[in-house]
Amino acid sequence: MNHAQPRRRTLLAAGIGALLLPLTTGEGVAHAATATDGTDPFGTLRARAAELTTGGAIDPSQKVFADALTALDTAAGTQWTAMDRTAGRTALWPDLAPVKDPGNFSQSYGRLLTLATAWATPGAALHGDETVADAITEALAFLNDTAYNPSKPESGNWWFWEIGAPRSLMDICVLLYDRIPADRIAAYCAVVDRFCADPDRRTNSPSLAETGANRADKAAIVALRGIVGRSADKLALARDGLSDTRDAGKHSLFTYVTSGDGFYRDGSFVQHDCVAYTGTYGNVLLSRVAYLVALLAGSDWQITDPGISVIHDAVERSFAAVTFDGLMMDAVRGRAISREREKDYDTGAGTTTNVLLLATGAPEAYAARWRSIAKGWIERNTDVPYTQLVGIPALKRAAAVLDDPA
């Protein structure tokens, strides 16, 4: 198993989320590109998705964002300096060659997302840089032409084809949507349709139903593809995939399981059939559900399945039970304990971020308790401060909680 895969999961879990853009009241018919009141539901959701990635409008001079901006500038600056932008290139970065290797093109998309996030983030050194935007759009075309397109057969680790690459690709398309030619947007949607057509099935093994974190990951990708490609059907497919309406709820993320992958009534979370994985795969599932709740709230595709109470209860029953002063216990982190750059405090920071994001769309009886729990985690972890571990979207929510004496 390539170690880049789960590390990518953790970075997304820790960095995703923001204060939400309101959806306009009366925002549309699911099968129309424009709502009856003239608003564009896909444009509204695209703006919200962008804010969930960047944090939206901020005052870069505020001290709370200093560490996150420095980290973003450092990461993006490193990738920008090392990026091969010559006409005859065979890879975007020398250490990610050959680019046709699944791990290499997947990580290339991840690096481009770092650059796109810096380009779209107010206060970042690369913010609004035309040269950077042009380089990213040209790099996307290069990857699509040479490595990741519908004509390619899956090889190596399926995750790179079906989750790693398409998630970063769709996030980039959200951020640079107005800069990417329409024919390229269509091509990028086509490759996602090829390798991550719906959340329900493993593309390279159609008889295999997705479960747990993998299902949640794919639901988020399909939702973003629906937004980028302006497809109401894809948005409905993403929402329904969480509940597994295709198989009558057999693999729903919103039901307790008695065997295999998912949440158990005693608070356990299992992935890979029998591994205690609350801190890794469970964290990914929590982050993606929280993301989709926030993204789709108030739209025609909002999550209404009452079974989401399983996720609500899991915050205290499953996650708080194994999180100590903001650190995730090693016993439920599976193979992640072997990763040098994925410490217990990294995972714990991701959990804190996910809980606060989920709180933005949860009943207040839950949300108030969660904010108190998260505030305690943040305040008690003084060895590796939360503010040094997360991005701007997470910091915006955390700042509001830390400033609230209630």
Side-chain angles (χ1 to χ4, degrees):
M1 181 65 71
N2 188 303
H3 291 293
Q5 168 192 334
R7 176 62 181 166
R8 176 73 184 131
R9 290 181 181 277
T10 303
L11 289 174
L12 284 169
I16 217 164
L19 296 175
L20 299 181
L21 290 171
L23 277 167
T24 305
T25 303
E27 179 201 353
V29 179
H31 293 281
T34 304
T36 55
D37 64 356
T39 59
D40 174 9
F42 300 109
T44 301
L45 291 176
R46 192 171 64 250
R48 181 180 288 182
E51 188 173 0
L52 283 165
T53 298
T54 67
I58 63 166
D59 178 358
S61 67
Q62 286 188 279
K63 185 177 180 181
V64 67
F65 300 124
D67 288 337
L69 281 171
T70 297
L72 179 59
D73 284 343
T74 299
T78 298
Q79 304 307 342
W80 180 242
T81 300
M83 185 180 180
D84 184 350
R85 301 190 290 278
T86 62
R89 64 190 172 189
T90 57
L92 297 177
W93 285 274
D95 63 323
L96 295 182
V99 74
K100 293 182 180 180
D101 180 89
N104 289 340
F105 69 66
S106 182
Q107 292 182 73
S108 295
Y109 281 117
R111 292 183 185 182
L112 290 176
L113 177 56
T114 298
L115 290 173
T117 302
W119 176 83
T121 299
L126 300 181
H127 178 237
D129 189 310
E130 295 290 322
T131 303
V132 173
D134 289 343
I136 297 170
T137 57
E138 291 167 4
L140 290 178
F142 169 77
L143 289 175
N144 184 241
D145 291 341
T146 61
Y148 190 57
N149 60 61
S151 70
K152 303 293 185 183
E154 278 196 36
S155 61
N157 189 336
W158 71 271
W159 186 92
F160 294 121
W161 297 87
E162 300 187 26
I163 293 179
R167 177 59 197 260
S168 294
L169 173 59
M170 288 294 97
D171 278 331
I172 297 166
C173 286
V174 163
L175 296 176
L176 274 76
Y177 183 82
D178 294 329
R179 306 289 300 251
I180 302 173
D183 61 331
R184 284 294 182 178
I185 288 288
Y188 304 152
C189 287
V191 73
V192 174
D193 290 344
R194 165 68 178 87
F195 294 109
C196 186
D198 65 65
D200 291 306
R201 291 292 187 271
R202 183 76 49 84
T203 302
N204 73 351
S205 182
S207 64
L208 178 64
E210 295 291 10
T211 59
N214 292 330
R215 176 176 286 268
D217 257 331
K218 288 191 168 184
I221 294 165
V222 173
L224 289 171
R225 184 266 180 257
I227 293 168
V228 170
R230 303 178 66 81
S231 169
D233 289 341
K234 285 291 184 179
L235 280 162
L237 187 65
R239 176 202 60 208
D240 293 346
L242 298 174
S243 303
D244 191 19
T245 59
R246 173 174 172 166
D247 289 328
K250 183 178 180 181
H251 303 288
S252 172
L253 304 182
F254 302 149
T255 59
Y256 289 109
V257 299
T258 57
S259 64
D261 298 347
F263 288 102
Y264 290 71
R265 289 188 180 276
D266 68 356
S268 305
F269 178 84
V270 167
Q271 188 95 22
H272 290 177
D273 294 325
C274 59
V275 182
Y277 253 134
T278 311
T280 308
Y281 283 92
N283 229 6
V284 172
L285 190 160
L286 181 65
S287 75
R288 302 306 186 263
V289 171
Y291 177 82
L292 287 171
V293 168
L295 178 64
L296 301 177
S299 74
D300 289 340
W301 306 281
Q302 66 183 346
I303 298 167
T304 59
D305 188 336
I308 198 172
S309 61
V310 170
I311 307 298
H312 293 160
D313 290 338
V315 170
E316 292 168 80
R317 182 178 294 176
S318 303
F319 292 94
V322 292
T323 305
F324 180 77
D325 288 354
L327 280 65
M328 178 62 66
M329 295 182 184
D330 283 345
V332 293
R333 297 201 304 123
R335 63 190 173 194
I337 62 172
S338 69
R339 298 178 193 133
E340 184 177 353
R341 295 182 298 167
E342 195 169 330
K343 307 293 188 183
D344 50 4
Y345 51 76
D346 294 311
T347 306
T351 302
T352 303
T353 295
N354 299 335
V355 167
L356 288 177
L357 178 57
L358 187 65
T360 63
E364 187 56 26
Y366 284 107
R369 294 200 308 272
W370 298 347
R371 293 187 185 107
S372 294
I373 292 170
K375 184 172 183 176
W377 287 339
I378 294 170
E379 290 184 334
R380 291 192 300 274
N381 182 12
T382 57
D383 290 335
V384 188
Y386 179 78
T387 56
Q388 297 178 11
L389 297 170
V390 300
I392 290 168
L395 290 172
K396 289 181 71 170
R397 282 189 306 276
V401 169
L402 294 172
D403 290 342
D404 185 351

